[in-house]
Amino acid sequence: MSDARQPASRATARSTEQDAAQRATSLIRQGWRQLARLAPAAPACWLASPGQPLRPLSRAELMARVDAWHQWLDNLPAAHAGRRPGARWVLFQPTALGACVQLLALWERGMLAVLPGDDRPETLARLAESSDGKLPETSAAGWPPEQPGTLSSTDSTDSAGSSAAPNTPFEITPDGARLALELCTSGSTGEPLRIAKRFDQLEAELAVHRTLWPLASDTDSASEPGTVSLSQVSHQHIYGLLVSLLRPLSEGVPFLSETCHYPEQLAAAIAQLSGLGHRCQLVSSPAQLARLPQASDESRVAGQAQVLRVFSSGAPLPAEAARHAENCLQAPVIEIYGSTETGGIARRRQHETPHWTPLPEVELRFSPAFAVRSPFLEQSDQWWQQADNAAPVAAEPPAQGEQHAAPRFQLLGRSDRLVKLAGKRVSLSAVERCLNEQEEVLEVRCLPMPTRDHRLGAVVVMEESALPQDHASRRDLIARLRRALMPGFERIALPRYWRFVTRLPLNAQGKFTADSIARLFADLDDHRLPRWLGESSSGPQQLTLEAEVPDSLCYLEGHFAAQPLVPGVVMLKWARDLGRRLRLAGVGVQESRFQRLERIKFSNLLLPGMRFTLAATLVADSHGLRVDFRLESRAGLHASGRLRYGAETDNTPLSSPLSSPPTTPTPEAS
């Protein structure tokens, strides 16, 4: 039996667990194995399965999965380069559990993990050229795919794996200078960067986090409910990897096997874990925290939950979003400022101060340029110049729990955002600052449009009530914003292409990526598309698109000369396209099984320039699957109905009546 189940006093068991945790936090020395030997029955992870209650996975069961991946690697052909120490394996896993067991197996064999930021074919193909292979996707429970001679990938092996803490099948030299992994980051330009991290860099940052924000309290032990780490961000990036995976792993604190992409998933996980007496630490991002329910629905997220703290990183969190998240989750929201290259630099809690405090061990200088020096950097004794501008601020009273006021600073925007347009240098930051001064503008991002003679585009965040809803109001708003810029900028610096949104379409890391930019401006090159302005979802079975009808939409031609309008069949096509992206218990619609349209109604004309939402929901009933949709705007409901998909193949596919006509490019209206 594990130490946690010995008939010793609760205090003794707690002390033993905490002492061992202090000794076993090293990634270099395989601390996860030490923790598994100490208390093999203690939970290492909570398995999340659709429609099922969360299930604890013990430390011994976690190690059994790691051992299964060792066996998978052993069964590769003898000549395979991926069998040798030092091999480079591309690792992309959709679940934290899958990433965890594969990463540990690679590290125990002295191998290097290459973590791509996405699983697009072009990304994986590029990385494959400089690696020895790509690890396959694990099962939902973390097992490898079936291979002759490997352990079974079914859950029936759980009981065998949990009988005792496994022995370490491989020994690695405890050398902090050894490379642990490579992270791939692209930023908003799409230009890929590869950032290598050594074990000592990761260890140094984990130690700072343990000091500032302890995961385990004095009352936590392997035999009692404690803290569980939940995540809404990807473990494929440095922030999610460190905070949501490596920290709980190295400290013996369980984590959730799946990422909580949707507020409903988060609410369900928090409710179930708190019902079992656990506290939750949430690792999130500005994009995810902005999607938390509004005040009337806050009880769905918080309820009786015991949320220890919330982390946010990737971009500064707007003050209102920080306030709302603290009220909604009833926990402090701590922002971490940093990058893949530098690791963490500073932290803040806006409830206490809007300014940033450097992390322990981090040195800053502000002249001649903002730069950082820390043990988290590849060259810990050298200064790394930041792309941001920053300035120190006057000393403030010590925050709660601090004996002395720490030096603080404020961020002043990026310093590297100069572009050349028609041979003239233009500061994107200066254009953004001017637009941000306008009353209706909450936030703005300017960017050069490489396929449009390097004219500028602007993505403007506004309150929903201030958004333009039709052609005339959009033209008036653009004219006002351009007039505000004219006194200080040449005409070449005035944005030509405008997108008005309620929030920036950021990814899970809080980044405004090349993919988001491409979607916002895709209608410039494909005149069959509505103008994409964002989307929201309450789960994989539901999606709401926010869009506009561009003047260049090819379907307007011939419908009609006096007043162009969007044909009803085009609205059905957009509903079909949205429905194809939905999943219910992992299953989506198959176009070959389309049967018929049901309850179709066209209530109002949809005109050029109109802003609209298209909501689609995938529903299963006794006849098969159906997609329910509603297309509406401020003018009211435009179209609604159902797309019915049955179990039998039908000879009248949906693509026939909704096929796209040839496109005739027309000028894009700004």
Side-chain angles (χ1 to χ4, degrees):
M1 293 181 67
S2 71
D3 291 350
R5 295 186 179 182
Q6 295 296 324
S9 71
R10 178 172 297 179
T12 302
R14 187 160 54 237
S15 175
T16 302
E17 172 76 5
Q18 290 169 351
D19 291 344
Q22 290 297 318
R23 298 193 304 269
T25 52
S26 172
L27 298 178
I28 303 168
R29 293 173 175 80
Q30 302 178 5
W32 53 88
R33 291 282 182 182
Q34 297 180 42
L35 289 170
R37 294 189 185 101
L38 171 74
C45 175
W46 284 85
L47 282 174
S49 302
Q52 301 294 323
L54 299 179
R55 180 170 67 86
L57 186 76
S58 73
R59 294 174 184 172
E61 290 171 334
L62 182 73
M63 292 302 100
R65 285 153 173 78
V66 176
D67 293 342
W69 278 100
H70 280 296
Q71 193 166 344
W72 185 91
L73 290 165
D74 286 338
N75 282 326
L76 293 172
H80 196 291
R83 289 172 57 101
R84 59 176 173 80
R88 301 164 58 87
W89 283 93
V90 177
L91 189 164
F92 187 97
Q93 289 294 324
T95 68
L97 175 60
C100 176
V101 295
Q102 288 187 343
L103 190 63
L104 299 189
L106 294 181
W107 283 353
E108 289 181 346
R109 299 174 80 97
M111 296 177 176
L112 181 74
V114 180
L115 304 184
D118 59 73
D119 61 349
R120 292 181 299 177
E122 56 268 30
T123 300
L124 299 179
R126 185 178 67 248
L127 295 176
E129 296 175 358
S130 58
S131 67
D132 298 303
K134 178 187 178 300
L135 292 172
E137 187 171 326
T138 71
S139 71
W143 297 107
E146 290 286 355
Q147 190 184 54
T150 63
L151 296 176
S152 170
S153 62
T154 65
D155 287 341
S156 63
T157 58
D158 286 353
S159 59
S162 63
S163 59
N167 295 319
T168 307
F170 288 85
E171 296 293 337
I172 61 174
T173 303
D175 180 8
R178 188 166 68 85
L179 287 181
L181 48 87
E182 278 188 357
L183 295 143
C184 302
T185 180
S186 60
S188 60
T189 64
E191 188 65 27
L193 296 173
R194 306 264 294 265
I195 309 297
K197 294 287 183 181
R198 300 185 307 271
F199 278 103
D200 60 355
Q201 291 174 267
L202 301 176
E203 294 274 25
E205 194 159 1
L206 289 173
V208 166
H209 279 251
R210 285 195 296 270
T211 300
L212 290 174
W213 307 292
L215 265 178
S217 72
D218 292 340
T219 60
D220 289 344
S221 74
S223 61
E224 297 175 332
T227 304
V228 178
S229 179
L230 309 182
S231 180
Q232 293 188 293
V233 301
S234 173
H235 46 267
Q236 299 288 140
H237 299 264
I238 184 63
Y239 163 61
L241 179 71
L242 273 171
V243 185
S244 68
L245 185 55
L246 297 186
R247 266 213 75 193
L249 177 70
S250 65
E251 296 180 50
V253 172
F255 58 91
L256 195 65
S257 67
E258 299 274 354
T259 303
C260 297
H261 293 291
Y262 308 104
E264 290 77 6
Q265 287 178 296
L266 178 63
I270 291 177
Q272 184 172 343
L273 290 168
S274 62
L276 296 172
H278 296 281
R279 299 171 305 169
C280 300
Q281 174 172 281
L282 176 61
V283 183
S284 191
S285 71
Q288 294 287 357
L289 294 178
R291 299 189 185 110
L292 291 177
Q294 294 304 309
S296 60
D297 295 327
E298 285 179 0
S299 60
R300 292 196 305 155
V301 174
Q304 299 178 353
Q306 300 177 30
V307 180
L308 178 64
R309 66 178 69 90
V310 181
F311 286 110
S312 177
S313 188
L317 186 63
E320 176 59 27
R323 184 205 63 78
H324 173 62
E326 290 214 356
N327 290 339
C328 188
L329 294 166
Q330 302 176 22
V333 175
I334 299 163
E335 295 178 74
I336 299 177
Y337 166 61
S339 67
T340 304
E341 295 88 345
T342 63
I345 296 175
R347 87 273 191 187
R348 72 174 177 179
R349 182 187 175 195
Q350 293 194 57
H351 179 76
E352 298 169 347
T353 175
H355 301 133
W356 297 89
T357 301
L359 295 175
E361 309 295 329
V362 173
E363 299 177 72
L364 300 179
R365 74 178 184 194
F366 301 93
S367 180
F370 182 39
V372 60
R373 183 165 65 184
S374 83
F376 316 150
L377 285 162
E378 182 180 4
Q379 304 284 339
S380 60
D381 60 340
Q382 296 183 10
W383 290 97
W384 178 279
Q385 185 170 330
Q386 285 293 97
D388 295 306
N389 286 318
V393 297
E396 301 177 5
Q400 184 176 0
E402 294 182 350
Q403 294 183 347
H404 305 286
R408 294 192 171 99
F409 66 95
Q410 58 182 327
L411 294 174
L412 302 175
R414 293 180 68 85
S415 59
D416 60 349
R417 305 191 63 233
L418 293 174
V419 298
K420 271 198 170 183
L421 301 174
K424 298 182 181 295
R425 293 170 67 86
V426 175
S427 169
L428 300 181
S429 297
V431 176
E432 291 172 353
R433 282 195 296 270
C434 183
L435 290 172
N436 269 316
E437 292 172 357
Q438 309 312 305
E439 183 179 359
E440 57 264 82
V441 175
L442 300 179
E443 189 177 0
V444 63
R445 296 288 178 90
C446 289
L447 57 145
M449 305 294 294
T451 64
R452 288 295 182 276
D453 296 324
H454 295 278
R455 296 298 299 270
L456 289 185
V459 183
V460 182
V461 181
M462 310 176 71
E463 294 286 357
E464 187 173 359
S465 59
L467 291 170
Q469 299 295 327
D470 53 34
H471 184 86
S473 61
R474 189 173 189 274
R475 286 283 193 183
D476 289 345
L477 175 58
I478 291 172
R480 292 200 307 275
L481 296 177
R482 287 172 65 92
R483 282 197 301 271
L485 292 169
M486 285 178 182
F489 299 90
E490 298 185 60
R491 293 189 65 85
I492 191 65
L494 306 185
R496 171 68 176 83
Y497 306 101
W498 299 80
R499 300 294 181 263
F500 300 102
V501 299
T502 54
R503 61 173 177 257
L504 290 176
L506 306 177
N507 68 3
Q509 287 70 48
K511 304 293 185 182
F512 188 41
T513 64
D515 285 344
S516 296
I517 294 168
R519 296 185 78 179
L520 283 164
F521 295 95
D523 63 285
L524 295 179
D525 298 310
D526 190 341
H527 299 292
R528 297 168 298 178
L529 299 176
R531 179 173 292 144
W532 186 89
L533 298 174
E535 56 190 43
S536 60
S537 175
S538 60
Q541 78 287 350
Q542 191 279 330
L543 194 58
T544 299
L545 167 72
E546 190 167 355
E548 283 176 349
V549 180
D551 293 344
S552 58
L553 186 70
C554 65
Y555 302 115
L556 299 175
E557 188 174 351
H559 301 87
F560 292 93
Q563 173 59 73
L565 56 85
V566 179
V569 70
V570 175
M571 295 186 237
L572 292 177
K573 176 185 184 301
W574 291 344
R576 176 198 64 178
D577 292 344
L578 196 62
R580 285 172 169 173
R581 299 170 53 193
L582 303 177
R583 294 292 182 271
L584 189 63
V587 177
V589 298
Q590 297 184 30
E591 289 302 312
S592 61
R593 295 183 177 178
F594 172 74
Q595 290 185 333
R596 60 187 176 273
L597 302 172
E598 298 177 344
R599 302 184 181 182
I600 301 299
K601 295 181 180 179
F602 297 106
S603 308
N604 281 296
L605 300 181
L606 188 61
L607 307 178
M610 275 190 168
R611 189 182 192 96
F612 66 88
T613 60
L614 174 59
T617 304
L618 186 60
V619 179
D621 58 23
S622 58
H623 301 288
L625 293 175
R626 71 173 196 264
V627 175
D628 295 351
F629 73 91
R630 289 177 63 87
L631 193 154
E632 48 195 333
S633 72
R634 290 274 183 87
L637 182 66
H638 296 272
S640 63
R642 293 176 176 174
L643 306 172
R644 168 67 65 183
Y645 297 84
E648 300 298 328
T649 300
D650 192 88
N651 294 325
T652 311
L654 186 59
S655 56
S656 177
L658 300 182
S659 57
S660 304
T663 62
T664 304
T666 57
E668 200 272 347
S670 64

